[in-house]
Amino acid sequence: MKAIFILLLTTIGATAFAQSVSTSVKFDKTDKPALMLYLPYSQDVAEGTILTKLKEIGFEPETSGSLFWKNSKVNGFYSFKGVTLKGDKTELVDLYFKVDRRGSKKDNQSVMYLLTSKGGPENFVSDGTDGATFSAAQRFLNGFVNETATYKHTLDVKAQEETVKKAEKKLVDLMDNEKDMANKLAKLQDDIKKNKEAQINQQALIESEKKKLADLKLGNTQASSNN
């Protein structure tokens, strides 16, 4: 319940943080119409949300390993072709994402850019050329605010689960070590007991040998006296 409450607070805070705005960015050395969204999360978290958000609308990016898509860039943008974007009408578009860190690394803030193309990188849409598609792209990008909060919460939960798992493993290791030490202690105590018994036996042997020595000396003295 507490985790859900924290997630709700995080989501509300993230929603209030930003909505996407129209801008322009360099693509192939030329200014292109784009959308820009500020996010109160790190660059890695924002990038990780991209696949989650695309899968949410039914798009399955081609992958070969979890980081394959990060190696597939066009002019510094992650490109996803043939995405079904729902607006006033459903149509296929190509989406180009770029995420930059905002401020210092410890600030955990980033800015996401989205370019929307119909028919290749030469046909980026703007509010003026295709208002319906541009608005659909803007609504899609605005969804990253809540989605990124959810994604970050999921990462935090997984990280905490891993922390608990490691702590539990350490406890098991400590308990195993305790068993080993207890066995060693039991053996040591048994060895000490045997050592004490050996000391008693050895002391008895010494007393016996001393008595024999005394008897021998006494016998020798008596023999000398008789002579």
Side-chain angles (χ1 to χ4, degrees):
M1 186 67 183
K2 183 178 179 181
I4 296 175
F5 180 69
I6 293 174
L7 176 58
L8 287 173
L9 288 179
T10 304
T11 303
I12 292 171
T15 303
F17 187 84
Q19 293 290 307
S20 62
V21 295
S22 177
T23 187
S24 63
V25 294
K26 291 288 184 182
F27 185 91
D28 196 20
K29 300 179 181 180
T30 305
D31 287 335
K32 301 294 182 181
L35 289 163
M36 177 178 67
L37 177 68
Y38 290 122
L39 292 167
Y41 300 101
S42 69
Q43 183 178 357
D44 289 339
V45 171
E47 288 179 346
T49 309
I50 294 175
L51 290 188
T52 302
K53 187 62 179 173
L54 287 171
K55 289 179 180 179
E56 184 183 279
I57 61 173
F59 180 78
E60 290 292 339
E62 295 180 4
T63 59
S64 178
S66 60
L67 297 179
F68 174 79
W69 66 278
K70 284 195 172 185
N71 297 322
S72 180
K73 284 188 175 183
V74 178
N75 289 295
F77 286 76
Y78 301 123
S79 63
F80 301 92
K81 298 184 178 181
V83 180
T84 301
L85 199 60
K86 295 180 180 180
D88 295 335
K89 58 180 180 179
T90 300
E91 53 189 338
L92 293 179
V93 297
D94 298 337
L95 299 180
Y96 296 80
F97 292 90
K98 184 178 181 181
V99 181
D100 290 332
R101 189 177 71 196
R102 188 182 181 207
S104 64
K105 189 173 183 179
K106 65 180 181 180
D107 290 334
N108 287 323
Q109 295 187 13
S110 58
V111 56
M112 179 178 289
Y113 299 96
L114 172 63
L115 289 82
T116 306
S117 170
K118 295 174 68 175
E122 299 301 322
N123 299 302
F124 290 112
V125 302
S126 67
D127 191 29
T129 61
D130 190 338
T133 301
F134 195 76
S135 294
Q138 187 167 31
R139 285 193 296 272
F140 173 69
L141 185 60
N142 287 342
F144 274 79
V145 177
N146 289 338
E147 191 65 42
T148 307
T150 302
Y151 182 77
K152 177 62 166 61
H153 180 259
T154 300
L155 290 181
D156 290 343
V157 169
K158 288 182 178 179
Q160 189 59 33
E161 286 176 342
E162 188 63 26
T163 298
V164 171
K165 184 178 178 180
K166 288 180 179 179
E168 290 176 338
K169 184 180 183 303
K170 185 172 182 178
L171 176 60
V172 171
D173 291 341
L174 289 171
M175 293 172 69
D176 288 341
N177 289 339
E178 181 188 14
K179 290 179 182 178
D180 291 340
M181 288 186 287
N183 291 334
K184 290 178 181 179
L185 178 60
K187 185 178 183 305
L188 180 60
Q189 289 174 333
D190 185 59
D191 289 342
I192 291 174
K193 180 181 178 182
K194 290 179 179 179
N195 182 274
K196 287 183 177 180
E197 291 174 350
Q199 289 183 52
I200 293 172
N201 292 335
Q202 188 66 22
Q203 186 64 43
L205 177 62
I206 291 172
E207 295 300 327
S208 175
E209 296 301 327
K210 282 184 176 180
K211 185 176 183 305
K212 290 179 182 179
L213 177 60
D215 290 344
L216 286 173
K217 287 182 177 180
L218 180 60
N220 185 54
T221 301
Q222 291 176 346
S224 298
S225 299
N226 292 333
N227 291 334

